[in-house]
Amino acid sequence: MLTTTAKVQIVLDVLQRLYPNPSVPLKRRDPYTHLIAVLLSAQCTDARVNQVTPALFARADRPERMIELDVEEIEQIIRPCGLAPRKSKAIWELSQILLAEHGGQVPPDLAALERLPGVGHKTAQVVLAQNFGVPTFPVDTHIHRLIYRWGLSNGKNVEQTERDCKRLFPQERWNDLHLQIIYFGREHCPARGHQPAECLLCSRIGRRSLFK
């Protein structure tokens, strides 16, 4: 039976071989446009967000331009992303706060980001990691699922999974690993139709319950 340390090394080796230079999936120009894109990605695919944001950023790609739009205008543009009433209000309000409290800039600070409307813990960490190089380990439902399948966390909740990931994996790999695990899940370890015996990682380190 493999030790946890051995499992971690297998994950690191396989993911680095498959995705040596993982790219950020959401199109953005700067921290502000990335913040908006990540906010829009809640319960929406990255592909759909990337289809919608060009039209939004053509109208407003800075907070001072965003607050010149009506919330209803923002809502109409982002409607394909889902949850448009809530997201449009959050985008307008956070743009106003950035101007009033942060000089129109996205602050490289977790607590400050989490205080912005519509910005949760995961979104804040993604923005910090992918714009400012701050080591974080954002855990979404997909990462949560894979880490559980690999027997590296008990699957209790995403908060516990994040703590386990930060404890098990070297900090210098956190930011890349977040993306690598997401890409691996999409291509090799999906939520539905998963064949653990054929999966490059589950076949080697998957918990026994996957094979019952």
Side-chain angles (χ1 to χ4, degrees):
M1 185 175 179
L2 290 171
T3 65
T4 298
T5 300
K7 286 186 173 186
V8 166
Q9 192 58 53
I10 289 171
V11 170
L12 291 170
D13 291 345
V14 169
L15 294 183
Q16 188 62 25
R17 174 169 56 82
L18 290 175
Y19 313 104
N21 297 293
S23 60
V24 175
L26 291 171
K27 296 177 182 177
R28 87 277 199 220
R29 305 174 186 177
D30 52 28
Y32 175 72
T33 53
H34 190 229
L35 172 62
I36 301 304
V38 178
L39 187 155
L40 289 174
S41 71
Q43 298 184 42
C44 181
T45 65
D46 292 343
R48 176 61 59 85
V49 173
N50 286 338
Q51 292 172 354
V52 168
T53 49
L56 177 63
F57 297 150
R59 297 287 305 280
D61 60 355
R62 300 190 303 276
E64 58 267 30
R65 293 183 63 188
M66 193 68 74
I67 64 169
E68 291 176 354
L69 301 179
D70 294 332
V71 173
E72 291 75 16
E73 291 180 84
I74 301 171
E75 181 179 338
Q76 286 299 318
I77 297 171
I78 68 170
R79 188 172 299 281
C81 292
L83 305 176
R86 189 170 75 191
K87 290 178 180 178
S88 58
K89 185 171 183 286
I91 289 170
W92 195 91
E93 290 179 349
L94 74 80
S95 299
Q96 195 173 45
I97 292 171
L98 290 178
L99 288 167
E101 300 181 11
H102 301 286
Q105 302 298 310
V106 174
D109 177 79
L110 183 65
L113 286 170
E114 289 181 337
R115 285 195 293 269
L116 295 173
V119 178
H121 184 62
K122 190 205 79 172
T123 295
Q125 288 196 95
V126 170
V127 170
L128 285 177
Q130 296 175 6
N131 293 280
F132 303 104
V134 177
T136 68
F137 211 117
V139 173
D140 60 10
T141 55
H142 306 292
I143 292 177
H144 178 61
R145 180 181 70 251
L146 268 62
I147 294 297
Y148 174 75
R149 283 179 175 175
W150 299 337
L152 299 177
S153 189
N154 62 17
K156 183 178 180 181
N157 51 53
V158 293
E159 292 79 16
Q160 182 61 51
T161 299
E162 180 186 331
R163 288 192 291 270
D164 289 335
C165 286
K166 288 181 173 178
R167 174 176 56 85
L168 293 171
F169 293 109
Q171 187 179 86
E172 64 270 17
R173 291 288 302 274
W174 288 358
N175 290 352
D176 278 352
L177 269 172
H178 163 76
L179 293 169
Q180 289 169 331
I181 295 172
I182 288 174
Y183 286 133
F184 185 85
R186 290 176 182 174
E187 298 175 13
H188 300 282
C189 202
R192 299 176 182 176
H194 178 236
Q195 300 294 326
E198 299 174 11
C199 175
L200 292 172
L201 282 173
C202 290
S203 62
R204 299 175 65 185
I205 64 172
R207 57 175 64 243
R208 291 180 180 177
S209 59
L210 292 176
F211 301 93
K212 291 180 179 178

